[in-house]
Amino acid sequence: MLTINICIGSACHLKGSYSVISKLQELVKDQSLEDKVEIKGAFCLGRCTQAVSVKVDDNIYSVSPSTTEDFFNNEILTKL
């Protein structure tokens, strides 16, 4: 199972972390990947000055609500 940790700390919350979470949940459901992808909330991943911090494996990405679908297609689907 691939785990996606999304920062829900104050800085990321203000940058749209809940929109990123909602969009990722929608994309996972649309692709019927509920048994392969787990989405979790996390607190501060250390990149507060960038977009919403998203950790997959040992990599941290900066994702905004507008780049969530590209992130999913380029980073998540390629790992499955």
Side-chain angles (χ1 to χ4, degrees):
M1 172 142 330
L2 182 66
T3 300
I4 304 171
N5 292 293
I6 303 166
C7 180
I8 55 172
S10 15
C12 288
H13 172 73
L14 293 173
K15 293 174 184 161
S17 62
Y18 287 98
S19 295
V20 172
I21 290 169
S22 294
K23 183 64 176 176
L24 286 173
Q25 288 173 328
E26 177 185 313
L27 292 166
V28 166
K29 185 177 179 185
D30 289 348
Q31 298 277 336
S32 299
L33 297 172
E34 295 93 343
D35 61 333
K36 294 182 181 178
V37 177
E38 179 180 38
I39 299 172
K40 290 183 166 185
F43 286 100
C44 196
L45 295 173
R47 302 229 177 133
C48 303
T49 59
Q50 298 174 13
V52 177
S53 295
V54 178
K55 184 176 180 182
V56 181
D57 296 330
D58 289 326
N59 299 312
I60 298 176
Y61 304 89
S62 292
V63 180
S64 67
S66 64
T67 63
T68 304
E69 191 165 353
D70 287 338
F71 167 76
F72 181 80
N73 292 331
N74 296 328
E75 301 298 334
I76 303 305
L77 290 181
T78 60
K79 294 181 186 308
L80 299 175

